[in-house]
Amino acid sequence: MEINLGKLAFDIDFHPSDNLVAAGLITGDLHLYRYSSDGVPVRLLEVHAHTESCRAARFINGGRALLTGSPDCSILATDVETGSTIARLDNAHEAAVNRLVNLTESTIASGDDEGCIKVWDTRERTCCNSFDVHEDYISDMTFVSDAMKLLATSGDGTLSVCNLRRNKVQAQSEFSEDELLSVVLMKNGRKVVCGSQTGILLLYSWGCFKDCSDRFIDLSPNSIDAMLKLDEDRIITGSENGIINLVGILPNRVIQPIAEHSEYPVERLAFSHDRKLLGSIAHDQMLKLWDLDNILQGSRSTQRNEAGVVDSDSDEMDLDDDPSKFGKGNKTKSASNGHVLGDSNNFFADL
């Protein structure tokens, strides 16, 4: 299935339980579509969410609302049923909001163009954590729920690990040779994989974040702008040449190309709620919905934990056994500088 968005899209997200997909556009518009396996997708909403581009979009509150972020520094919550504004924070960040990621049922994280990450508690209706960890834009984030850690990549070429329970930056990698654009957690939490501007995949062992343990160069020189974890041994990558690849991790190899956007750079990838569809957006202004079973045909011989292949690393995830709720006692302090966060962070008062 294909949806002609008419404009360049920067982000997509699928509803957590329904056949809905949202797209944030360069115009600042937010589109919401209903899709089905045997029909043409229907646009349900078109909301002019921001005065500048809509760079990030995420369903929150069980899919009842859509959260969007923009270079106008605002974060907007939109009602999925009506398209009406639930709440808007005009000064959510001091710089352009570039990424949003869901954490728990009541928390989300946002990252901006100056390397600041904020964690928002929708239940407490405030910003509970703030980390000034990077020197350039936040390109991607992923949440490690068991350990309550937030991994982030940045245009400054580093990977960071923020401890949400202890409200501190736990680790940061050395500067790599180029921008890091995407990040996933693999191998049952033992490996972190980062995609880069030059198309090199950097692998870090959990707990050893200073320098990468391995580099995979077969996708170079095309930048790896988007990645999704398919299982513990395989990822799906989207590159600037328009190719969507299935890639094996340890052993590292390109298993096969599985889809394409006709040489237009792939911007984002996402799975539908039932993981039957892969969604992709690219600079061709198209939102494509791929049948995951169909595009993975030919790779069925790839088995999890292939025979004869042993990962010698024995790093285990350093789970934080602190029983206290993360952010508790730190709901008004910045992790990086101790400044008190003002009332402007009371964003979710109406959610």
Side-chain angles (χ1 to χ4, degrees):
M1 288 180 280
E2 293 186 353
I3 301 172
N4 188 345
L5 299 170
K7 298 292 181 180
L8 175 64
F10 284 141
D11 202 8
I12 56 171
D13 194 34
F14 285 90
H15 191 278
S17 60
D18 201 356
N19 291 350
L20 301 174
V21 60
L25 308 185
I26 192 172
T27 57
D29 291 342
L30 173 67
H31 287 188
L32 179 66
Y33 296 87
R34 177 172 292 279
Y35 59 87
S36 63
S37 58
D38 55 357
V40 179
V42 177
R43 188 167 68 196
L44 302 180
L45 290 177
E46 181 179 359
V47 177
H48 189 63
H50 298 279
T51 58
E52 297 185 42
S53 61
C54 182
R55 286 192 187 173
R58 285 292 178 272
F59 283 95
I60 61 169
N61 289 1
R64 295 186 296 275
L66 270 163
L67 208 63
T68 53
S70 170
D72 64 13
C73 301
S74 71
I75 295 178
L76 174 71
T78 300
D79 187 277
V80 168
E81 290 291 333
T82 66
S84 59
T85 296
I86 299 172
R88 180 192 294 271
L89 179 59
D90 288 323
N91 297 302
H93 283 256
E94 295 181 1
V97 180
N98 193 52
R99 294 292 285 159
L100 293 170
V101 62
N102 296 91
L103 304 181
T104 67
E105 290 183 358
S106 61
T107 54
I108 61 101
S110 56
D112 68 27
D113 271 5
E114 292 184 354
C116 177
I117 297 170
K118 290 188 176 184
V119 176
W120 304 89
D121 189 325
T122 61
R123 196 166 291 161
E124 296 291 337
R125 304 175 181 180
T126 188
C127 177
C128 55
N129 305 73
S130 183
F131 305 94
D132 290 318
V133 58
H134 291 283
E135 298 177 3
D136 208 335
Y137 68 96
I138 302 299
S139 56
D140 200 11
M141 294 181 285
T142 191
F143 180 54
V144 187
S145 58
D146 291 342
M148 295 304 289
K149 308 290 197 306
L150 182 62
L151 307 178
T153 50
S154 170
D156 66 11
T158 66
L159 165 72
S160 67
V161 182
C162 294
N163 188 320
L164 301 188
R165 279 200 180 101
R166 298 176 181 175
N167 201 17
K168 69 176 185 179
V169 179
Q170 180 170 311
Q172 188 169 12
S173 72
E174 296 177 351
F175 289 94
S176 60
E177 297 177 356
D178 59 345
E179 301 175 18
L180 299 185
L181 304 179
S182 47
V183 58
V184 293
L185 184 67
M186 302 286 293
K187 297 293 181 179
N188 299 303
R190 291 185 292 111
K191 292 292 180 181
V192 178
V193 183
C194 299
S196 70
Q197 182 69 37
T198 58
I200 299 173
L201 285 175
L202 282 69
L203 279 67
Y204 294 84
S205 295
W206 187 269
C208 304
F209 295 109
K210 283 299 180 182
D211 196 10
C212 63
S213 59
D214 197 5
R215 293 171 182 260
F216 179 56
I217 65 172
D218 286 16
L219 295 171
S220 183
N222 297 294
S223 64
I224 305 170
D225 298 88
M227 293 194 301
L228 284 179
K229 172 182 171 180
L230 181 63
D231 54 37
E232 298 301 333
D233 304 303
R234 297 177 296 172
I235 58 174
I236 296 173
T237 65
S239 299
E240 65 179 342
N241 62 354
I243 302 297
I244 299 173
N245 284 296
L246 182 64
V247 177
I249 299 298
L250 294 174
N252 302 328
R253 72 251 185 257
V254 178
I255 298 172
Q256 67 183 61
I258 56 176
E260 66 174 322
H261 274 266
S262 303
E263 299 184 358
Y264 289 91
V266 177
E267 191 73 28
R268 288 286 181 263
L269 300 169
F271 288 129
S272 62
H273 67 93
D274 54 9
R275 290 177 68 92
K276 291 183 178 180
L277 296 178
L278 170 68
S280 62
I281 52 172
H283 289 202
D284 57 3
Q285 303 178 9
M286 302 296 292
L287 166 56
K288 296 189 177 185
L289 302 178
W290 311 90
D291 185 293
L292 202 55
D293 281 340
N294 285 343
I295 63 176
L296 292 179
Q297 289 297 329
S299 66
R300 301 304 180 188
S301 59
T302 301
Q303 301 292 326
R304 184 178 178 183
N305 299 326
E306 295 178 59
V309 177
V310 178
D311 179 12
S312 61
D313 290 313
S314 60
D315 306 279
E316 295 182 357
M317 181 176 292
D318 52 339
L319 299 180
D320 190 340
D321 57 4
D322 187 345
S324 62
K325 178 182 176 182
F326 88 90
K328 186 176 181 180
N330 295 306
K331 291 185 174 63
T332 60
K333 294 287 186 178
S334 164
S336 57
N337 52 28
H339 293 325
V340 175
L341 298 173
D343 291 338
S344 63
N345 292 308
N346 249 0
F347 171 42
F348 296 100
D350 298 321
L351 286 183

